[in-house]
Amino acid sequence: MSFEEKNSEEGRQSQLPRTANPEPIASQGRQLTYLTGWRLHMTTFGLCIGLFLVNLEVTIVSTSSLAIANDLHSYDQLGWILTGYLITYTGFIMIWAKFSDYFGQKSSVIASSLIFVLFSGGCGAAQTITQLIVCRVFQGIGAAGGFALGILFFTGMVPKEKFPLYGAVLSSTVALANLAGPLLGGALSKNSQWRWVFLLNVPVSLFSIIILLFSIPTGFPYHNQTASSPTFTWPTVNTLVASYKKIDYLGAGMLLFGSLLLSAGLLESGKTWEWRSAPAICILVIAGVLFIAFFAWERLVSSDRWTQEPMFPWKFVHNRVWMGVLLSSLLNGLPFFVLVIFVPQRLETVHGESPVQAGIKILPYTLVAAVGAVIASLIVSTGRIAPIYIMLFFSALGAVGTGLLTTITSTEYIPNEFYGYLTLIGLGIGGTWGLTVPFVGHAVDQMDVSSACGALIQFRILGGALGIAIMSATMETYLRQQLPSTLSPVQLSAILKSTTAISLLPPELQAHVIEVFAQGYSLQLKIVTGFSVAQFLAITMIWRNPQIMFAERKKKENIGS
């Protein structure tokens, strides 16, 4: 018995079905049909556009966020411009993936794209920081569906042996967005043109929607079943009602509000209120209780006594390999999003680089991340080396790179080593992330693919949201601790509203403030290094004997045959 067969058999034996047919209603009695020909190519193209845009929306703000915050006189709210998007991006990924079981993958991906388009336009039209943050929150809801459903589509479009190839396509698309984001964000930050950061999504997303409407078959991935097929039945009112009853609304709500409160507590503590104050403690405690309640509820809902289908099946907890993949995804997302956001900010604030120059100087990181994902996928596609060894190697590269980056303390110039360290980090993060997606088809059962895809992306974006919140709070607290001794309350308040206020200070104060900012960014990197090391340890959970392989080893043909 092969490892995959053994793993699948263990998964079936470890948890008895709660009903005679444990599959979602949308897929009961139906078989997957893979896409071919023009439908496969056009659907892949349309999905890649969507994946590109929702990931671009994170990195494009990395070099434009400072201009946005300064233009709206809200530097102290900069963290919310980033995290407001990631909170709902995090909270709705598993929800979209699970809802697609009942409302169809095609209709779900179209609906999420329309939400993304609508509120992208709202962000571009925002006149105040509050309006922008609100629109960013709703924009994140649509983006969550675009990302989660994009990956879910790939698992139903092609057979498992093609997962490494399409995993490379997916990872390259995400990495390309990470590459283009800082450059576009920097270019569009000039002369208060930052609104185009959001408005450009509208026509491109509409183009993607049109492609998907025509290329995705109705009923995908079960579109081989027609009204004349004996196993096909059109959904009735009773069937739809039964579907609604199976949705885990409570679990989705606890996950969303837990993410919201945790991010809010981390962002506002040390700024709006002290860390030891009652509001800070209450919000963080409530967030912790919600996460504990979420997992307790998911365990309860996973039992035979409940009709709801859990957002996070409890069998995942007993699947050590899959938990290792999820923890690796979470700890991969944290350094990735933190570096792509705060490295450009350091270049602009400490070294006086323009947004465009900052975007160019971070290319060794974003460009090599794409290369790392492709290299890792190509290596495992040969079937010669198990994915875990490749993941451990790339993870080690990332940890070493972040550790070395903390040694750069100069505020006067950017040493050449800076680019080498960014290259190491890019290879490490890209190569590790590129191999997590194919595990969906090898570490969980087919009936859990939707939940697994949602959880995989959910953990990564949650890591990013928590990372940005932690680093924003770290910088805010550090500035408030170090600057009051040399700056007046008015000067400190002005700098926390807009970093352009640094140029209004006397030269000796400017040098001191820039030095404090540099120390704050170094402190952030030290924290990131700790999380990078933790990711290496999380990957060891994937260890099995025999190891999971994504492809069979290609045999050499005999010369005489």
Side-chain angles (χ1 to χ4, degrees):
M1 180 181 293
S2 69
F3 170 76
E4 291 182 19
E5 293 171 337
K6 179 181 178 181
N7 186 51
S8 179
E9 182 65 23
E10 289 176 351
R12 284 189 290 269
Q13 293 175 357
S14 64
Q15 195 168 72
L16 295 173
R18 291 172 294 160
T19 61
N21 192 340
E23 293 182 282
I25 290 178
S27 62
Q28 288 180 5
R30 308 174 76 179
Q31 298 295 321
L32 288 173
T33 301
Y34 303 123
L35 297 182
T36 58
W38 72 270
R39 286 191 182 276
L40 174 61
H41 302 314
M42 292 303 294
T43 300
T44 301
F45 180 55
L47 291 174
C48 284
I49 292 176
L51 286 170
F52 178 84
L53 290 177
V54 300
N55 284 279
L56 179 74
E57 200 57 29
V58 176
T59 57
I60 198 172
V61 177
S62 65
T63 49
S64 60
S65 60
L66 202 58
I68 295 171
N70 289 336
D71 189 46
L72 297 177
H73 303 288
S74 303
Y75 179 77
D76 58 339
Q77 298 296 317
L78 184 146
W80 278 112
I81 298 176
L82 308 169
T83 310
Y85 178 81
L86 290 178
I87 285 173
T88 46
Y89 198 6
T90 301
F92 278 85
I93 284 177
M94 291 178 65
I95 296 174
W96 277 112
K98 199 64 181 176
F99 277 19
S100 68
D101 282 341
Y102 308 110
F103 307 113
Q105 293 185 23
K106 180 177 181 178
S107 58
S108 295
V109 76
I110 297 299
S112 66
S113 299
L114 289 173
I115 294 173
F116 181 74
V117 167
L118 179 62
F119 287 98
S120 291
C123 290
Q127 299 300 309
T128 66
I129 189 66
T130 300
Q131 293 175 0
L132 177 61
I133 291 172
V134 170
C135 287
R136 286 280 285 172
V137 167
F138 283 96
Q139 186 190 29
I141 296 176
F147 201 172
L149 295 172
I151 291 181
L152 182 58
F153 261 90
F154 280 113
T155 64
M157 280 169 37
V158 294
K160 287 183 179 181
E161 56 266 23
K162 292 187 177 181
F163 278 10
L165 171 62
Y166 280 82
V169 171
L170 184 152
S171 300
S172 299
T173 301
V174 174
L176 183 61
N178 301 333
L179 167 67
L183 294 175
L184 287 174
L188 295 174
S189 295
K190 292 183 176 181
N191 303 320
S192 299
Q193 294 178 340
W194 59 264
R195 297 184 186 279
W196 286 103
V197 166
F198 307 106
L199 295 177
L200 283 177
N201 291 326
V202 177
V204 182
S205 288
L206 290 175
F207 175 64
S208 171
I209 290 172
I210 292 172
I211 291 177
L212 296 178
L213 277 172
F214 285 97
S215 62
I216 300 176
T218 301
F220 174 88
Y222 309 105
H223 50 280
N224 64 321
Q225 308 295 322
T226 64
S228 59
S229 299
T231 59
F232 179 88
T233 56
W234 289 105
T236 64
V237 173
N238 291 335
T239 302
L240 292 176
V241 170
S243 296
Y244 294 138
K245 290 182 178 180
K246 283 181 171 288
I247 297 174
D248 184 12
Y249 296 106
L250 182 58
M254 287 191 289
L255 181 63
L256 176 60
F257 285 105
S259 302
L260 173 62
L261 290 176
L262 181 58
S263 298
L266 292 173
L267 280 171
E268 297 301 323
S269 296
K271 178 172 59 178
T272 303
W273 48 68
E274 295 296 328
W275 283 99
R276 296 181 180 180
S277 65
I281 294 174
C282 287
I283 286 181
L284 292 174
V285 168
I286 293 173
V289 170
L290 282 174
F291 276 110
I292 294 173
F294 168 75
F295 285 107
W297 171 253
E298 294 305 296
R299 181 176 184 179
L300 183 64
V301 174
S302 297
S303 67
D304 299 344
R305 296 171 295 174
W306 296 84
T307 58
Q308 288 97 334
E309 294 185 356
M311 298 291 298
F312 188 86
W314 197 248
K315 67 171 77 173
F316 287 175
V317 176
H318 299 288
N319 186 336
R320 178 172 54 82
V321 170
W322 183 238
M323 289 305 299
V325 174
L326 292 181
L327 289 176
S328 170
S329 181
L330 184 144
L331 295 169
N332 180 278
L334 190 147
F336 170 76
F337 286 105
V338 166
L339 291 172
V340 84
I341 295 296
F342 289 102
V343 168
Q345 287 184 19
R346 176 193 172 118
L347 293 172
E348 294 178 51
T349 304
V350 176
H351 300 287
E353 302 286 348
S354 69
V356 174
Q357 290 172 328
I360 293 173
K361 284 179 167 48
I362 201 177
L363 283 179
Y365 173 62
T366 54
L367 177 61
V368 174
V371 175
V374 173
I375 291 175
S377 297
L378 290 177
I379 292 174
V380 299
S381 67
T382 64
R384 295 177 178 272
I385 304 177
I388 184 173
Y389 300 125
I390 307 302
M391 292 182 72
L392 287 172
F393 172 75
F394 280 101
S395 178
L397 285 182
V400 170
T402 53
L404 291 173
L405 201 59
T406 63
T407 64
I408 296 180
T409 58
S410 173
T411 60
E412 297 178 0
Y413 66 95
I414 304 172
N416 293 331
E417 292 85 350
F418 173 83
Y419 306 106
Y421 300 158
L422 285 181
T423 300
L424 279 180
I425 300 170
L427 276 174
I429 291 179
T432 308
W433 166 245
L435 296 184
T436 56
V437 177
F439 268 103
V440 173
H442 295 81
V444 300
D445 294 330
Q446 180 61 42
M447 62 175 288
D448 296 317
V449 164
S450 295
S451 298
C453 284
L456 181 68
I457 307 304
Q458 184 102 27
F459 272 61
R460 188 171 196 252
I461 304 303
L462 178 60
L466 293 178
I468 291 174
I470 292 170
M471 301 312 158
S472 296
T474 298
M475 177 63 80
E476 184 80 19
T477 302
Y478 190 77
L479 294 178
R480 290 182 180 274
Q481 289 175 346
Q482 300 297 320
L483 293 179
S485 61
T486 54
L487 298 181
S488 67
V490 174
Q491 291 172 325
L492 177 59
S493 177
I495 289 174
L496 293 177
K497 288 291 183 182
S498 173
T499 56
T500 57
I502 298 176
S503 62
L504 303 177
L505 299 173
E508 63 276 8
L509 284 182
Q510 286 187 33
H512 173 70
V513 171
I514 290 175
E515 180 66 30
V516 170
F517 267 93
Q519 293 171 358
Y521 288 120
S522 295
L523 178 59
Q524 291 176 332
L525 286 172
K526 291 176 182 177
I527 298 173
V528 170
T529 301
F531 283 107
S532 296
V533 173
Q535 183 194 13
F536 182 89
L537 298 177
I539 293 174
T540 61
M541 294 176 61
I542 303 175
W543 182 276
R544 291 291 299 263
N545 188 20
Q547 303 293 350
I548 292 179
M549 302 293 291
F550 292 164
E552 294 183 1
R553 183 171 180 174
K554 297 179 181 179
K555 298 180 180 180
K556 294 181 179 180
E557 295 182 0
N558 294 327
I559 297 177
S561 61

